[in-house]
Amino acid sequence: MIGTPISELPLHTPTRCVIRRFSEYLQSNVDALAALLDNGIEPGVEIMATIGKSAVVLANSRASATVPLAIACSVHVEATGTYGAV
């Protein structure tokens, strides 16, 4: 499998990452997938992800989306650093 489920990132720590893929579950959830794509959240895009207890904030230079953790765990990423890391 390519990438790590976003739900495995550190809690409450803004983390830079590149989206590697969406799971089949997310790909079949038309509404959730459309909401991400409409905000520019798609494979190959660099984002800042902040994991909360029940939701994840995914942000890029264009927009941000708050996604329930149950959906966000279907987004697989490659972490590239944490916010403020040099």
Side-chain angles (χ1 to χ4, degrees):
M1 298 216 155
I2 298 173
T4 301
I6 207 164
S7 56
E8 293 184 18
L9 295 176
L11 192 64
H12 304 296
T13 302
T15 304
R16 280 180 247 232
C17 42
V18 175
I19 298 174
R20 292 298 177 205
R21 69 180 185 89
F22 294 144
S23 73
E24 290 177 9
Y25 170 75
L26 180 54
Q27 291 177 43
S28 66
N29 186 328
V30 178
D31 293 333
L33 183 59
L36 292 176
L37 296 176
D38 287 347
N39 285 298
I41 307 295
E42 58 187 86
V45 171
E46 184 174 66
I47 61 166
M48 184 68 69
T50 306
I51 314 301
K53 290 186 179 188
S54 61
V56 179
V57 177
L58 307 174
N60 61 25
S61 60
R62 184 174 141 200
S64 68
T66 301
V67 181
L69 196 54
I71 297 293
C73 66
S74 296
V75 177
H76 294 252
V77 299
E78 179 182 336
T80 59
T82 55
Y83 181 74
V86 189

